[in-house]
């Protein structure tokens, strides 16, 4: 008795037959008769529904070496060949990654088991895996950007020849720049720009105020206005980053409503003109759902007396 993949048993004769047969490049089963398509690039794809669905997403080109491209449908530039023999000839083209190597995002199946792509960093992964990872965004309440990084090298996973991923990455970049600007202003407001870590040549944050600000400060996405807001300092490495369940509707910036001239005058006199800007930058209260049903002042340096007067006199939602 011969064993393939440690769980499918063959007689020796059957195994020899399997080895010499045409096999589906996705499910690896033997193809009897015609495959799912007559196109040269798809001759080794069976008619099973799952395999046929993957074929519809796959590049339909044959490479100069004669092997099918393992890229995605509509790509403007084909992937280098992932066939083991071709990779051996020029391993630098794929960072020595072959069709049987695991996708760097899912780590559950080989690159050849689903249409794949190569971000600018040169590491390979499945198209669907990277697309799903990017669309899901961050995993916890705190906005982080590791989801758009290559799992292998931590560089941003930009794929210029993939229009949908490029569109998503553009939105993410805009959000990142917005938060970075807020964070750089905030560390000055908090006095953190004087932190010795920024001025110590031996520290990882030396002369890196942007990286320091994005690491030390926590920003969240308001469920109502869909704008990022400052939610406090990050005091430990795992604060609010995916380990804790949360409800998006609990992340709400509570804005001050200026409904009367006397209220406006009071605010200008006691709190400063910044409060007249009704946006997340100058929001007064954060409805903190994952810390209980309480209201916490987060964005302004208010005295206890000012907080009491604000709660008693200024209408908010």
């Amino acid at each position: 008795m011969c064993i393939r993949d440690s769980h499918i048993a063959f007689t020796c004769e059957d195994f020899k037959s399997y080895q010499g047969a045409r096999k589906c490049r996705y499910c690896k089963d033997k193809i009897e008769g015609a495959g799912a398509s007559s196109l040269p690039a798809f001759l080794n794809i069976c008619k099973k529904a799952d395999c046929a669905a993957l074929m519809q997403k796959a590049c339909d080109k044959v490479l100069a070496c004669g092997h099918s491209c393992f890229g995605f449908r509509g790509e403007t530039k084909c992937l280098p060949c992932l066939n083991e023999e071709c990779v051996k000839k020029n391993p630098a083209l794929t960072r020595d990654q072959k069709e049987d190597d695991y996708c760097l995002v899912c780590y559950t199946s080989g690159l050849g088991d689903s249409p794949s792509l190569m971000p600018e960093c040169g590491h390979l992964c499945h198209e669907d895996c990277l697309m799903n990872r990017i669309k899901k965004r961050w995993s916890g309440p705190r906005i982080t950007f590791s989801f758009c990084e290559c799992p292998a090298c931590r560089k941003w996973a930009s794929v210029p020849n993939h229009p949908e991923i490029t569109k998503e990455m553009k939105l993410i970049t805009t959000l990142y720049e917005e938060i970075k600007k807020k964070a750089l202003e905030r560390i000055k407001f908090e006095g953190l720009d004087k932190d010795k870590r920024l001025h110590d040549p031996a520290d990882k944050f030396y002369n890196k105020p942007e990286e320091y600000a994005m690491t030390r400060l926590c920003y969240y996405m308001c469920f109502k206005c869909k704008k990022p807001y400052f939610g406090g300092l990050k005091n430990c490495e795992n604060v609010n980053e995916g380990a804790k369940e949360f409800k998006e509707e609990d992340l709400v910036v509570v804005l001050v409503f200026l409904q009367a001239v006397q209220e406006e005058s009071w605010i200008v006199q006691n709190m400063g003109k910044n409060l007249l800007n009704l946006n997340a930058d100058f929001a007064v209260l954060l409805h903190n759902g994952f810390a209980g049903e309480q209201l916490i002042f987060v964005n302004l340096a208010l005295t206890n007396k000012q907080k009491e007067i604000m709660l008693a006199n200024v209408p908010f939602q």
Side-chain angles (χ1 to χ4, degrees):
M1 186 73 69
C2 298
I3 303 293
R4 177 175 69 90
D5 292 341
S6 76
H7 66 281
I8 301 177
F10 285 90
T11 64
C12 290
E13 290 74 16
D14 288 341
F15 187 65
K16 289 179 181 179
S17 175
Y18 172 82
Q19 282 185 311
R22 184 161 59 99
K23 294 176 283 293
C24 177
R25 79 190 205 197
Y26 294 135
C27 70
K28 312 304 184 204
D29 285 347
K30 184 177 177 180
I31 298 177
E32 302 284 357
S37 172
S38 61
L39 289 177
F42 298 146
L43 292 179
N44 291 335
I45 298 177
C46 71
K47 293 181 178 180
K48 290 179 181 177
D50 289 346
C51 298
L54 288 172
M55 181 187 71
Q56 296 301 319
K57 299 178 180 180
C59 178
D60 59 1
K61 298 179 179 64
V62 175
L63 303 175
C65 61
H67 298 119
S68 298
C69 175
F70 283 95
F72 59 91
R73 184 67 60 94
E75 60 186 0
T76 56
K77 182 181 179 181
C78 284
L79 284 179
C81 185
L82 300 184
N83 178 272
E84 184 175 6
E85 294 304 316
C86 289
V87 172
K88 285 181 180 178
K89 294 176 184 177
N90 196 346
L93 289 178
T94 64
R95 290 180 175 261
D96 203 25
Q97 298 164 101
K98 303 174 287 294
E99 62 180 292
D100 291 332
D101 290 338
Y102 281 133
C103 162
L104 291 174
V105 174
C106 70
Y107 273 99
T108 58
S109 61
L111 293 167
D113 295 341
S114 184
S116 296
L117 47 73
M118 179 186 286
E120 288 184 316
C121 64
H123 293 104
L124 292 162
C125 60
H126 295 145
E127 177 195 19
D128 283 348
C129 290
L130 182 59
M131 191 73 247
N132 292 336
R133 175 183 169 97
I134 290 174
K135 283 189 172 182
K136 286 180 180 178
R137 302 296 198 261
W138 51 93
S139 59
R142 181 185 180 224
I143 299 173
T144 59
F145 293 92
S146 58
F147 68 91
C148 58
E149 296 174 344
C150 169
C153 64
R154 314 316 302 180
K155 293 181 180 179
W156 278 49
S158 299
V159 189
N161 67 333
H162 194 294
E164 192 173 359
I165 290 179
T166 298
K167 180 181 178 181
E168 292 293 326
M169 291 297 283
K170 186 176 180 180
L171 295 174
I172 294 164
T173 300
T174 299
L175 176 63
Y176 178 86
E177 292 298 326
E178 181 181 357
I179 292 178
K180 182 179 75 173
K181 181 180 178 181
K182 292 175 183 286
L184 288 172
E185 294 174 352
R186 174 60 57 174
I187 61 170
K188 293 179 182 178
F189 179 82
E190 301 285 347
L192 294 174
D193 57 325
K194 298 178 178 60
D195 191 324
K196 63 182 181 180
R197 300 191 66 181
L198 290 169
H199 309 287
D200 180 1
D203 195 280
K204 69 175 183 178
F205 291 122
Y206 177 62
N207 281 341
K208 297 179 179 178
E210 294 179 5
E211 184 178 339
Y212 174 83
M214 296 294 282
T215 302
R216 283 300 313 278
L217 307 182
C218 295
Y219 282 85
Y220 304 88
M221 187 66 73
C222 177
F223 179 73
K224 289 188 177 181
C225 68
K226 305 303 180 184
K227 294 287 186 180
Y229 62 87
F230 174 64
L233 300 180
K234 180 183 176 186
N235 296 317
C236 61
E237 290 304 314
N238 61 352
V239 61
N240 294 332
E241 287 190 10
K244 191 173 239 181
E245 292 184 4
F246 74 103
K247 296 180 181 179
E248 289 185 357
E249 55 267 31
D250 287 334
L251 300 178
V252 178
V253 173
V254 185
L255 300 179
V256 175
F257 285 88
L258 307 180
Q259 297 182 337
V261 175
Q262 60 267 30
E263 292 172 347
E264 181 174 325
S265 300
W266 180 89
I267 290 175
V268 172
Q269 179 182 350
N270 292 275
M271 317 304 295
K273 292 183 179 180
N274 281 344
L275 224 58
L276 298 182
N277 296 301
L278 297 185
N279 55 48
D281 284 336
F282 302 107
V284 180
L285 300 172
L286 162 67
H287 184 254
N288 193 341
F290 48 84
E293 297 298 320
Q294 62 184 105
L295 294 171
I296 299 176
F297 290 84
V298 292
N299 274 36
L300 293 173
L302 307 179
T303 66
N304 288 333
K305 184 62 176 176
Q306 286 173 326
K307 293 177 185 178
E308 291 176 7
I309 297 174
M310 179 66 75
L311 288 170
N313 293 278
V314 182
F316 55 86
Q317 66 175 11

